[in-house]
């Protein structure tokens, strides 16, 4: 299986590569459109701001191949911004269109006295369907590392795979037939995170 | 529910852990990577390396320490000490650090906070504040590892770094540091209530009740501790179980 990690030059992907490799799935960086040709599963661990990422993906000529990949329902694991970008737009950069794979926007945590933003640290993801292969062996809920100020608000409730409470109850992950996308960082979530990566890739990998 | 973070801190000089740890069964207790792995296995929520290397040549060894740690520890890693410019930060982040800590550089050139937040996102930037009580009943900011007093008021400075884009504040009470007599609760509370970003309490931990107090009354979001862990007094897990018993949300 050829596993690729999308790299549009925004930051360090070493921890994601390290975690995937430790989980038993060594991956290669995807830096140009041709790299999609041989690809079986795409991991997109986005970081930074919503608008900047869209701009940088377009500048690197990776935006169209990424859209095509998702439109063809090819296997996709999204992390953090790689989850947020699947939606239509974000309060972070109004006017910038996301990948719009799913309906809904990315909102910001509402400021309130005593609430720290970003939401930073370890929090619980409650699985809406604990029987989904992504969560195999993790029980009904698990604690992952989060760091973000914005989160997607999917219009389709059926997509939501887990929910997390921080001032409000938000959709911290989604699944579909070809896709798993989460707001938290499995690559920073120790054993639980590595287990999720193994589950996700076993689910997404092409069946031979 | 978001849990309170327990963060061990290792002081590193020229690639070696100083003050030593008393971990048993470690091939090399002076190797920061080996120590980091122990804390990772104990369930530490994050890890901080404080580079106290004086010479800039030897500081390069920290980059290697960070890279080797990131291969074996899957938790957030912060590196502080001697980091001055956006280029210094980039080097550490590319090596595998998730966050960088700055202190003196931020006081000298506050704009570096804005630049770093724009370049890497606020989540990657921890501003460390060393504060000492003054005769006016407030706290003064110190730099250069606590040697130099500034004109800055700690609360106002905390608000400024928050405004400029810091992702969190590592707050050290110089009065409490090294005393093992407990954190400065009033300082932590005042800063935590004055900003909208998380505050990590540091300095003064001598026992587990001190941690309970600073997380409750001090309103800290996380606690940093060094010697309490290094000398084997407590394992990270012991601390978490104690905090849980006192009603604090922790990741067990």
């Amino acid at each position: 299986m050829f596993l690729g990690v999308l790299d549009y030059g925004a930051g360090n992907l070493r921890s994601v590569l390290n975690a995937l490799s430790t989980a038993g799935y060594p991956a290669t960086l995807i830096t140009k459109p041709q790299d999609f040709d041989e690809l079986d599963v795409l991991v997109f661990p986005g970081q930074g701001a919503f608008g900047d990422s869209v701009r940088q993906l377009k500048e690197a000529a990776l935006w169209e191949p990424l859209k095509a990949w998702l439109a063809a329902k090819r296997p996709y694991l999204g992390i953090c911004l790689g989850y947020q970008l699947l939606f239509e737009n974000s309060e972070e950069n109004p006017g910038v269109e996301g990948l719009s794979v799913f309906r809904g926007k990315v909102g910001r945590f509402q400021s309130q006295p005593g609430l720290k933003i970003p939401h930073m640290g370890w929090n619980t993801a409650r699985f809406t369907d604990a029987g989904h292969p992504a969560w195999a062996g993790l029980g009904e809920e698990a604690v992952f590392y989060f760091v973000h100020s914005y989160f997607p608000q999917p219009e389709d409730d059926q997509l939501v795979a887990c929910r997390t409470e921080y001032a409000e109850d938000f959709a911290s992950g989604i699944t579909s037939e070809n896709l798993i996308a989460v707001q938290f960082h499995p690559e920073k979530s120790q054993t639980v995170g590595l287990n999720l990566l193994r589950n996700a890739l076993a689910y997404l990998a092409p069946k031979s | 529910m978001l849990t309170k973070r327990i963060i061990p801190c290792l002081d590193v000089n020229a690639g070696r852990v100083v003050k030593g740890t008393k971990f048993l069964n470690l091939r090399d207790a002076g190797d920061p990577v080996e120590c980091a792995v122990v804390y990772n296995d104990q369930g530490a929520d994050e890890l901080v390396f404080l580079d106290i290397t004086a010479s800039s040549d030897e500081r390069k060894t920290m980059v290697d320490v960070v890279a080797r740690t990131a291969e074996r520890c899957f938790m957030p890693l912060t590196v502080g000490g001697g980091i001055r410019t956006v280029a210094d930060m980039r080097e550490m982040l590319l090596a595998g650090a998730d966050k960088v800590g700055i202190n003196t550089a931020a006081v000298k050139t506050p704009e570096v906070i804005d630049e770093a937040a724009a370049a890497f996102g606020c989540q990657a930037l921890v501003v460390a504040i060393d504060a000492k009580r003054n005769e006016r009943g407030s706290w003064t900011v110190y730099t250069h590892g606590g040697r130099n007093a500034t004109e800055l008021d700690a609360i106002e400075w905390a608000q400024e770094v928050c405004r400029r884009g810091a992702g969190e504040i590592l707050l050290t009470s110089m009065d409490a540091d090294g005393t093992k007599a407990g954190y400065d609760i009033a300082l932590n509370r005042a800063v935590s209530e004055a900003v909208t970003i998380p505050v990590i309490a540091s300095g003064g931990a001598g026992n587990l009740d001190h941690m309970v107090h600073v997380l409750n009354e001090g309103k800290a979001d996380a606690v940093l501790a060094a010697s309490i862990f290094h000398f084997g007094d407590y394992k990270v897990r012991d601390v978490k179980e104690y905090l849980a018993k006192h009603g604090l949300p922790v990741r067990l």
Side-chain angles (χ1 to χ4, degrees):
Chain A
M1 181 182 69
F2 183 43
L3 177 65
V5 173
L6 192 63
D7 177 14
Y8 54 99
N12 171 43
L13 298 172
R14 190 189 288 242
S15 52
V16 174
L17 293 173
N18 284 338
L20 287 169
S21 167
T22 304
Y25 290 92
T28 310
L29 291 177
I30 300 295
T31 58
K32 52 188 189 300
Q34 307 86 282
D35 293 346
F36 279 81
D37 296 346
E38 306 294 315
L39 193 60
D40 291 311
V41 178
L42 179 66
V43 180
F44 183 15
Q47 48 188 302
F50 191 93
D52 282 344
S53 305
V54 173
R55 183 177 50 78
Q56 287 168 308
L57 282 163
K58 285 180 177 169
E59 282 170 6
L62 292 166
W63 181 257
E64 291 303 329
L66 175 59
K67 281 197 87 155
W69 183 266
L70 288 158
K73 295 200 184 302
R74 302 294 309 276
Y76 177 94
L77 172 61
I79 298 170
C80 196
L81 205 66
Y83 168 40
Q84 297 184 3
L85 281 171
L86 297 172
F87 293 84
E88 294 168 290
N89 52 61
S90 173
E91 284 179 9
E92 188 171 14
N93 304 101
V96 178
E97 199 198 337
L99 291 161
S100 301
V101 177
F102 302 113
R103 298 198 57 128
K105 70 175 177 88
V106 179
R108 190 174 196 271
F109 289 110
Q110 296 295 315
S111 296
Q112 53 178 274
L115 185 73
K116 301 297 177 73
I117 302 172
H119 169 218
M120 185 185 287
W122 297 77
N123 203 339
T124 305
R126 303 183 324 274
F127 309 138
T128 52
D129 172 15
H132 192 283
W135 313 127
L138 298 178
E140 299 287 319
E141 58 180 44
V143 181
F144 295 96
Y145 186 77
F146 288 80
V147 48
H148 63 121
S149 303
Y150 298 84
F151 57 91
Q153 298 162 339
E155 281 184 15
D156 180 3
D157 247 358
Q158 296 295 317
L159 288 170
V160 179
C162 57
R163 308 193 69 89
T164 295
E165 179 92 33
Y166 189 65
E168 57 190 293
D169 203 46
F170 69 96
S172 49
I174 58 170
T175 52
S176 74
E177 184 189 340
N178 66 303
L179 165 156
I180 295 174
V182 293
Q183 181 58 63
F184 51 79
H185 291 268
E187 78 282 9
K188 288 287 151 194
S189 298
Q190 294 175 340
T191 311
V192 170
L194 295 176
N195 286 340
L196 172 62
L197 289 176
R198 275 187 206 102
N199 289 346
L201 291 162
Y203 174 75
L204 296 171
K207 310 293 180 279
S208 51
Chain B
M1 191 176 197
L2 183 66
T3 60
K4 299 290 187 181
R5 288 171 283 155
I6 311 302
I7 309 175
C9 175
L10 289 159
D11 288 0
V12 180
N13 184 14
R16 302 288 297 170
V17 173
V18 289
K19 290 191 269 187
T21 58
K22 283 192 180 165
F23 294 137
L24 299 174
N25 310 323
L26 266 196
R27 202 181 46 207
D28 178 4
D31 179 6
V33 182
E34 296 284 326
C35 294
V37 170
V38 170
Y39 286 133
N40 186 58
D41 294 347
Q42 285 185 8
D45 294 317
E46 296 191 20
L47 188 71
V48 172
F49 283 137
L50 181 62
D51 188 6
I52 58 166
T53 309
S55 95
S56 55
D57 294 347
E58 287 176 319
R59 202 169 290 129
K60 292 286 175 203
T61 59
M62 197 62 195
V63 177
D64 173 58
V65 166
V66 169
R68 288 190 293 124
T69 304
E71 280 169 19
R72 294 175 63 192
C73 295
F74 300 102
M75 63 176 162
L77 175 64
T78 301
V79 182
I83 292 172
R84 290 183 180 83
T85 63
V86 167
D88 294 341
M89 295 179 200
R90 180 171 286 115
E91 187 175 30
M92 286 302 176
L93 295 171
L94 286 176
D98 299 284
K99 314 178 196 181
V100 287
I102 54 170
N103 185 340
T104 303
V107 172
K108 271 192 184 161
T109 325
E111 295 74 25
V112 77
I113 303 171
D114 308 65
E115 286 170 35
F120 313 119
C122 69
Q123 84 293 333
L125 185 65
V126 182
V127 174
I129 300 179
D130 292 345
K132 193 176 192 321
R133 277 176 190 271
N134 57 37
E135 68 283 359
R136 299 182 301 280
S138 55
W139 295 270
T140 299
V141 175
Y142 280 67
T143 60
H144 297 86
R147 290 190 301 277
N148 300 356
T150 69
E151 302 284 303
L152 295 168
D153 173 78
I155 309 298
E156 288 170 12
W157 176 234
Q159 287 173 318
E160 182 174 345
V161 306
C162 178
R163 203 163 49 236
R164 285 181 179 274
E168 56 189 333
I169 290 171
L170 170 57
L171 181 61
T172 303
S173 159
M174 292 174 49
D175 304 292
D177 201 23
T179 63
K180 291 196 163 203
Y183 295 87
D184 185 335
I185 303 294
L187 169 66
N188 276 281
R189 187 180 182 115
V191 170
S192 191
E193 286 180 342
V195 297
T196 55
I197 55 178
V199 174
I200 306 167
S202 162
N207 64 43
L208 302 185
D209 281 324
H210 293 150
M211 294 189 176
V212 172
H213 288 150
V214 79
L215 292 168
N216 275 330
E217 290 88 55
K219 298 200 168 181
D221 300 283
V223 284
L224 184 96
S227 49
I228 198 168
F229 294 126
H230 301 338
F231 300 119
D233 298 346
Y234 302 100
K235 289 196 167 64
V236 174
R237 173 110 198 160
D238 301 331
V239 173
K240 289 187 170 186
E241 281 174 355
Y242 191 85
L243 297 181
K245 214 164 61 187
H246 287 75
L248 284 157
V250 290
R251 179 181 66 112
L252 286 167

